[in-house]
Amino acid sequence: MSHFHPDPATFLEELVKIPSVSGSEGAAAAWLVSRMSDLRYDEAFVDGAGSPTGILGQGEKTLILLGHIDTVPGDVPVRRTPGRLYGRGTVDAKGPLAAFTLAAAAVGPREGWRIVVVGAVEEESATARGARAAAELYRPEACIIGEPSSWQKLCVGYKGRLLVDCRLTRPLTHTAGRERGGCEDIVDFWNRISQLATSLNTGATRIFEQLSPSLRSMRSQNDGLLETVEARIGLRLPPGLKVAEVESSLGKLASLTRKGQGRSDATIDESGEIELSFSGREEAFRAGKSNPLVRAFLQAIRDEDGTPGFVVKTGTSDMNLVGPAWGCPILAYGPGDSSLDHTPDEHIEIAELESSIGVLGRAIRQLTSSPS
């Protein structure tokens, strides 16, 4: 359908060379829209949220390939070695997005279908601006999320997430006195969260089934009169544990901490309270395995001489947001080793990129030719 047949590694390399940290995706989005036009997409544009979008066909049924074009910060020099491409985003997740773009173009318009490729913005931030806009714009029959799963695996679930910002302001105390400082109170709060996780995780053998807290940052300062301590805590939530439940539990733990309950030191100044603010709320999501989308991918991987399998992830993705909103068959797929996400060594195997494009093409053709 097109006279433009880019080499996949070169296509991805050019995209990766354009920085697109969350909130600054404009240049990369414009480049991808231009390439979509070269690939003869019926429509290619930047949507209202800033996400590059390409559409093939005008059918009543919609298949969405929802990748993301933003990256985390960090300069990973773009370079090639035999069989590999290095650079920020090669795995997470410009690699999957490039595979989406090229595979859909190779398939072309399909009768009765509209194939939509979206490079969502701000996936790596708590705002998820691109996915939230897409959730309102479309009502697809099926969705593929662009995340690294390896070319032979399908990701069908992600843990939930909750970010907690803690702030404690209290009168400054002498370090030689009996009274505890604000840092110790925040550490006490953190320890209570760790104890809660240990209790809730009893009997859960897989990380995917566990509540996983992490202390992201902590800092303190004082003006000679008041001490202020701030900390950020991240929690990864397993299926079945709701965000609202965790928020309620953390509120109770903060109250216990400031009242000094369960501690030998009861001299804490109760005028200081741990204030909590929550963000990044994402419920855990697990997709079904028995549907035409999954069957199409399983067959496509076998046809590419792969051995298909399923994985679940301990992080989050746009699946957490659009999965419940759309209620359609959904999975995450893309080339790359997810253990390299956000690392200084981020790179992709070029052969895997090429294999994933083959799998995607076969799966799209199978799905869009099915009467169901």
Side-chain angles (χ1 to χ4, degrees):
M1 68 172 276
S2 170
H3 299 296
F4 178 55
H5 300 285
D7 168 67
T10 300
F11 186 91
L12 176 57
E13 182 177 10
E14 292 179 5
L15 178 57
V16 170
K17 283 181 176 178
I18 306 171
S20 57
V21 174
S22 291
S24 302
E25 305 95 336
W31 182 91
L32 188 58
V33 166
S34 178
R35 297 292 80 75
M36 286 173 165
S37 295
D38 294 338
L39 288 162
R40 305 290 180 87
Y41 276 71
D42 296 320
E43 299 179 53
F45 56 91
V46 175
D47 71 13
S51 303
T53 303
I55 299 177
L56 291 158
Q58 300 296 327
E60 293 183 358
K61 291 182 286 187
T62 300
L63 167 64
I64 291 190
L65 285 71
L66 179 61
H68 69 88
I69 198 165
D70 65 317
T71 71
V72 296
D75 180 22
V76 179
V78 180
R79 62 188 175 92
R80 279 208 220 185
T81 62
R84 286 183 177 179
L85 173 64
Y86 288 78
R88 178 62 78 223
T90 51
V91 175
D92 188 17
K94 291 180 177 180
L97 179 58
F100 280 7
T101 304
L102 296 176
V107 171
R110 302 289 284 175
E111 184 178 355
W113 286 84
R114 180 175 61 150
I115 300 173
V116 182
V117 178
V118 180
V121 295
E122 298 182 22
E123 191 274 347
E124 295 289 1
S125 66
T127 55
R129 184 181 180 191
R132 293 184 189 281
E136 297 295 325
L137 286 172
Y138 305 103
R139 286 295 178 268
E141 275 65 36
C143 173
I144 309 167
I145 299 292
E147 291 287 347
S149 61
S150 97
W151 75 271
Q152 300 184 73
K153 306 296 182 183
L154 308 177
C155 180
V156 292
Y158 286 88
K159 292 180 77 169
R161 176 186 62 191
L162 179 64
L163 298 177
V164 189
D165 287 303
C166 317
R167 181 182 175 90
L168 172 61
T169 300
R170 52 174 295 166
L172 193 64
T173 59
H174 197 291
T175 56
R178 295 180 56 199
E179 296 176 350
R180 291 163 58 104
C183 290
E184 293 168 296
D185 287 326
I186 291 294
V187 170
D188 184 56
F189 178 54
W190 162 250
N191 288 336
R192 290 179 185 274
I193 293 174
S194 296
Q195 293 165 5
L196 173 66
T198 299
S199 175
L200 291 176
N201 292 340
T202 301
T205 58
R206 304 174 63 198
I207 295 178
F208 188 73
E209 300 166 341
Q210 298 173 357
L211 173 64
S212 304
S214 60
L215 183 58
R216 305 284 185 86
S217 64
M218 182 175 173
R219 65 173 184 164
S220 66
Q221 59 185 358
N222 72 79
D223 61 3
L225 298 175
L226 294 176
E227 176 188 25
T228 299
V229 186
E230 296 175 323
R232 166 163 279 203
I233 296 170
L235 298 105
R236 299 292 184 175
L237 282 56
L241 183 59
K242 298 297 184 182
V243 169
E245 297 175 36
V246 178
E247 290 183 358
S248 176
S249 295
L250 295 187
K252 294 175 183 177
L253 294 183
S255 177
L256 287 174
T257 299
R258 68 174 177 263
K259 290 178 181 177
Q261 295 183 12
R263 300 192 320 213
S264 60
D265 176 9
T267 63
I268 183 172
D269 185 338
E270 292 186 25
S271 63
E273 297 185 355
I274 297 178
E275 301 174 359
L276 304 181
S277 60
F278 302 104
S279 62
R281 299 176 176 90
E282 298 285 357
E283 304 287 357
F285 183 84
R286 189 157 192 166
K289 297 181 182 179
S290 181
N291 57 64
L293 178 65
V294 170
R295 289 192 288 273
F297 266 92
L298 294 177
Q299 187 60 54
I301 292 169
R302 294 188 186 102
D303 289 345
E304 289 285 324
D305 299 322
T307 303
F310 294 98
V311 296
V312 291
K313 297 289 187 70
T314 56
T316 57
S317 79
D318 283 336
M319 183 190 287
N320 296 76
L321 193 154
V322 301
W326 289 338
C328 66
I330 189 170
L331 57 82
Y333 178 81
D337 178 355
S338 60
S339 70
L340 297 172
D341 291 4
H342 305 184
T343 69
D345 192 41
E346 186 172 1
H347 65 270
I348 196 166
E349 302 290 337
I350 293 172
E352 182 169 356
L353 173 64
E354 293 170 346
S355 293
S356 72
I357 294 171
V359 169
L360 282 161
R362 290 178 184 273
I364 293 170
R365 289 187 181 93
Q366 173 64 29
L367 180 70
T368 57
S369 64
S370 169
S372 62

